[in-house]
Every structure is written in C-alpha cells, then in structure tokens.
Amino acid sequence: MTDKYTQFLEKQVEKLEAEDFDLEAWKSSTIAALERLYGRADPRTRQIADLKIDYSSWALRDSNANYKPIETCKKKGREILKTAIEEVEIFGAPESKTADKNVLDKLPESVRKEVETMVKDSPKEKDLVKVFQKLKKETLAKALASLLKV
C-alpha cells in the first residue's frame, strides 16, 4: 500500500517538470492529493496553498540576479512532497482521514470554515468546544454519526 502512496506523490513531483506547468493548477491537484492522504488539517496543504510567485519590486530587489520566482515555488513544492514521500516510506501509510472529512461535511459551511481555520492554527480544545456549543444537537448528532461510517 505504501508503494501506491509514494507513486501518487511522485506523480505530483513529476508534474513540476511539465513544459506547460501552471502553479495554480498544480497547487489544486497537490492539495487534493495531500488531503486524500493526510486529511484537511495537515500543514503540508497550507504550505502548498501558500506558494506564490512574487514579482514584487521588493522581492526582486532583495534577491540575487539569479532569482527565478517560478523555480523557487517548484523547489519548495518538490521538497514538501519529497518529505511526504520519505515519511510514507519510513513510517508507512498514513491512517485514514476520511472521518475528518465526513464530520466536517456534516457541519454548516460557516462552522466548517471556522473549524478548518482553527485546526490549521493548532487550536485549544476549549476553543473548538465553544464553536461546537453553538450548534444544534441534531447537527452534532449527524456529525458524530458520520464517524461510525468510516
């Protein structure tokens, strides 16, 4: 199973070398791949989402003459994925994160976005409890029931 995960991630690394490389398209597909493997809250998804080509005058002024913004993004993306591949090879396939997705999908969109934002910032349990206390019992019951469908 770990071979399939590593092949999956290696395909994303290969896409970095495509002649018609499009950073935004690559980011979208890579985020989808990482979310499938590690769940929505994994920090790698945020790191990929934060990649951007910086053509600002400050970035160009502060860099050396060899600065190539697209190559910098590719290099960062490659390193993030190579680390994920090494992690799978060393520690094995990640645990299923489908429960995260099922629970979040059952929440109202406004709450789901709030929880996703909080999870990225490593929230305290009491902060998440406050968010969930605002919900109706029926909504919470449906979200919890989705955990059993894993």
Side-chain angles (χ1 to χ4, degrees), residues 62-150:
D62 292 342
S63 66
N64 61 24
N66 297 328
Y67 178 65
K68 296 178 183 172
I70 192 73
E71 291 304 317
T72 301
C73 289
K74 286 180 176 183
K75 186 175 183 177
K76 287 179 184 177
R78 187 177 296 108
E79 288 303 313
I80 292 166
L81 290 178
K82 291 235 181 229
T83 302
I85 292 167
E86 289 172 3
E87 182 180 318
V88 169
E89 290 173 347
I90 293 170
F91 299 111
E95 294 178 18
S96 173
K97 298 294 184 180
T98 55
D100 292 344
K101 187 175 188 300
N102 290 337
V103 170
L104 290 175
D105 287 344
K106 299 292 183 191
L107 298 174
E109 187 173 346
S110 61
V111 174
R112 183 173 56 239
K113 287 181 179 180
E114 186 176 358
V115 169
E116 287 174 347
T117 302
M118 291 177 77
V119 168
K120 288 179 185 176
D121 298 331
S122 301
K124 295 181 181 172
E125 183 177 328
K126 67 179 182 175
D127 295 332
L128 284 171
V129 169
K130 287 179 184 177
V131 171
F132 292 129
Q133 284 176 336
K134 298 177 197 173
L135 297 173
K136 294 179 181 178
K137 286 182 182 181
E138 182 180 335
T139 304
L140 285 172
K142 285 180 182 179
L144 291 173
S146 71
L147 284 173
L148 299 175
K149 295 179 186 177
V150 175

Side-chain angles (χ1 to χ4, degrees), residues 9-99:
L9 293 171
E10 285 171 354
K11 283 184 181 181
Q12 289 305 116
V13 173
E14 289 172 13
K15 289 179 182 180
L16 291 167
E17 302 307 320
E19 255 185 64
D20 61 341
F21 178 75
D22 178 336
L23 179 63
E24 292 304 316
W26 179 83
K27 284 171 37 175
S28 295
S29 64
T30 303
I31 289 169
L34 290 172
E35 284 181 351
R36 177 172 170 77
L37 294 176
Y38 296 105
R40 289 183 179 178
D42 190 74
R44 287 171 276 238
T45 58
R46 188 184 80 253
Q47 291 172 336
I48 295 292
D50 289 345
L51 291 176
K52 65 180 181 232
I53 300 173
D54 189 3
Y55 288 116
S56 71
S57 61
W58 290 104
L60 297 173
R61 182 192 67 119
D62 292 342
S63 66
N64 61 24
N66 297 328
Y67 178 65
K68 296 178 183 172
I70 192 73
E71 291 304 317
T72 301
C73 289
K74 286 180 176 183
K75 186 175 183 177
K76 287 179 184 177
R78 187 177 296 108
E79 288 303 313
I80 292 166
L81 290 178
K82 291 235 181 229
T83 302
I85 292 167
E86 289 172 3
E87 182 180 318
V88 169
E89 290 173 347
I90 293 170
F91 299 111
E95 294 178 18
S96 173
K97 298 294 184 180
T98 55

